[in-house]
Amino acid sequence: MFLDGEEWQNYFRTFDRSAFRLEVHQVYTMPGEAESLRDFLAGKPVPDGFNSEWHEQIRDHRANGRTMTRAKIVRLPLTDYSRYLFDWCIPGNVGAGEDYRIVDLTSRTLDLPEQDFWMFDDATVVHLNYRPDGTQINRELISNPDLSKYHYWRDLALAESVAFTEWNSART
């Protein structure tokens, strides 16, 4: 089943304990980010209130005992999109309370999928499907997922990661 609009957004409003995302791509071509990515590449400063609605949602979850965690796979050199994420997007997410982790696969491989996904409450899996250029095709709710596989990937990514702040400060 494909998810869009309010139906998709509802997963972020209604999870009980945890939301985890594995991010595997080095480039995402998101229409909603095109202007801010251009501004970043032009050397403009982060606008006041950038991503404030998302940050408020993260803070609300945190205040209510729910966790949001991501594991982002990176390979050096960073793409322009990854530099944009690391400079403009992720610091605000971390400041709002998201546990954002970096899995650096520049010189190693791990038994992780090439598939982005969100897992809500360790039980609901949604694949984020992309074209090779990073354009999202759809979001697909996986019926009867093999949860042990997704738990393994989550646990491996987290065990082999470092906190964003630590990784980012070491690269600059």
Side-chain angles (χ1 to χ4, degrees), residues 26 74-79 86 104-107 167 171:
Q26 304 306 294
V74 299
R75 291 177 181 88
L76 298 176
L78 294 177
T79 63
F86 286 25
D104 190 336
L105 296 184
T106 301
S107 59
W167 189 89
R171 84 175 170 97

Side-chain angles (χ1 to χ4, degrees), residues 30-117:
M30 307 299 290
E33 295 177 334
E35 183 178 345
S36 59
L37 178 59
R38 274 192 306 273
D39 288 349
F40 164 76
L41 292 173
K44 294 183 180 179
V46 179
D48 289 338
F50 184 71
N51 283 344
S52 61
E53 288 180 32
W54 180 247
H55 298 155
E56 187 57 39
Q57 193 170 24
I58 294 169
R59 280 191 287 278
D60 180 61
H61 288 314
R62 186 122 173 120
N64 288 292
R66 296 183 296 266
T67 62
M68 294 187 75
T69 306
R70 288 194 220 208
K72 167 89 175 121
I73 293 174
V74 299
R75 291 177 181 88
L76 298 176
L78 294 177
T79 63
D80 286 346
Y81 185 84
S82 290
R83 289 187 312 104
Y84 159 73
L85 281 181
F86 286 25
D87 291 349
W88 275 34
C89 302
I90 299 172
N93 293 6
V94 170
E98 184 174 2
D99 181 12
Y100 213 110
R101 317 281 305 168
I102 303 300
V103 184
D104 190 336
L105 296 184
T106 301
S107 59
R108 64 184 177 143
T109 59
L110 293 173
D111 184 23
L112 291 170
E114 293 294 321
Q115 174 68 56
D116 279 48
F117 66 87

Side-chain angles (χ1 to χ4, degrees), residues 12 32 49 105 172:
F12 292 96
L105 296 184
T172 55

